[in-house]
Amino acid sequence: MRNTKYLVIAALCVALGIVLPIAFHTIPNAGRIFAPMHIPVLLAGLVTGPVYGLIVGVLTPMLSSLLTGMPPTPILPAMTAELAVFGLGAGLLMHLLRKLHYMPAVYLSLLGAMLTGRVVAGVLNALIFQLGAYSFEIWITSYFVTSLPGILIHIITIPHICFVLQQTGVMVLYPRSLPKPARHDIL
């Protein structure tokens, strides 16, 4: 039953990752500034784990590009790699930090995944996608300075969404202990 629930959540995150950027793209350059597609991918990783997070991170930009033209084809490979690492990293870190209280676990997983995804995308841009035309300054500007409002939105909203999901039982951060079986003495 848990796999079905996670599959449904992952599918909802992919759909949200396609629809949410459409609303933001009514504002010029809003995709780069607010990074709305990142929110559902990070949530998928945090809520469903690394496998579904990775799948959502790969499918969301590809399907969005096919259906809406966003992200554009030149940006698609780096963004797919970044979002795949976001989903995978958030899920892995949540798994590793699951014994912590839920808010520190969510914040550390979120920040770790966001940083790792940006580093991976920057390295791939420098070595493969934009070889020779990419620099450290471009990476800092595009992944941190321009997207600072989006980073702040992610840091503020995603943990609160996780808190609500934790309270409703959709997201279980603590491993639930099984009740001890009753001991029956057989004579």
Side-chain angles (χ1 to χ4, degrees):
M1 189 64 148
R2 185 178 70 185
N3 286 335
T4 304
K5 179 172 88 169
Y6 288 167
L7 182 63
V8 170
I9 292 169
L12 286 171
C13 286
V14 170
L16 187 60
I18 294 169
V19 174
L20 191 59
I22 294 171
F24 276 84
H25 281 286
T26 57
I27 303 166
N29 206 22
R32 290 185 182 266
I33 295 170
F34 299 111
M37 193 179 289
H38 297 185
I39 295 170
V41 173
L42 288 163
L43 277 172
L46 293 170
V47 173
T48 63
V51 174
Y52 285 115
L54 174 66
I55 293 168
V56 170
V58 171
L59 285 179
T60 302
M62 289 183 172
L63 289 174
S64 181
S65 184
L66 282 171
L67 297 172
T68 68
M70 300 176 290
T73 307
I75 298 171
L76 183 61
M79 188 163 182
T80 301
E82 176 187 18
L83 292 180
V85 173
F86 275 8
L88 177 68
L92 281 175
L93 288 169
M94 275 306 292
H95 179 72
L96 292 172
L97 302 172
R98 69 184 178 272
K99 302 226 186 223
L100 293 178
H101 191 266
Y102 64 89
M103 282 308 237
V106 169
Y107 274 110
L108 290 171
S109 299
L110 177 64
L111 293 172
M114 289 170 63
L115 181 61
T116 307
R118 284 172 167 80
V119 168
V120 167
V123 168
L124 290 175
N125 275 327
L127 298 178
I128 299 171
F129 304 132
Q130 297 181 30
L131 184 62
Y134 202 74
S135 68
F136 184 74
E137 292 80 18
I138 293 172
W139 177 69
I140 291 291
T141 303
S142 62
Y143 283 102
F144 294 97
V145 176
T146 303
S147 62
L148 185 60
I151 291 170
L152 293 175
I153 288 171
H154 300 158
I155 291 170
I156 293 168
T157 60
I158 292 173
H160 292 292
I161 294 169
C162 288
F163 175 75
V164 170
L165 294 175
Q166 168 75 14
Q167 295 300 315
T168 59
V170 173
M171 182 177 183
V172 179
L173 298 179
Y174 300 106
R176 295 185 185 236
S177 58
L178 297 173
K180 292 182 181 179
R183 183 172 177 175
H184 298 287
D185 293 329
I186 301 175
L187 297 175

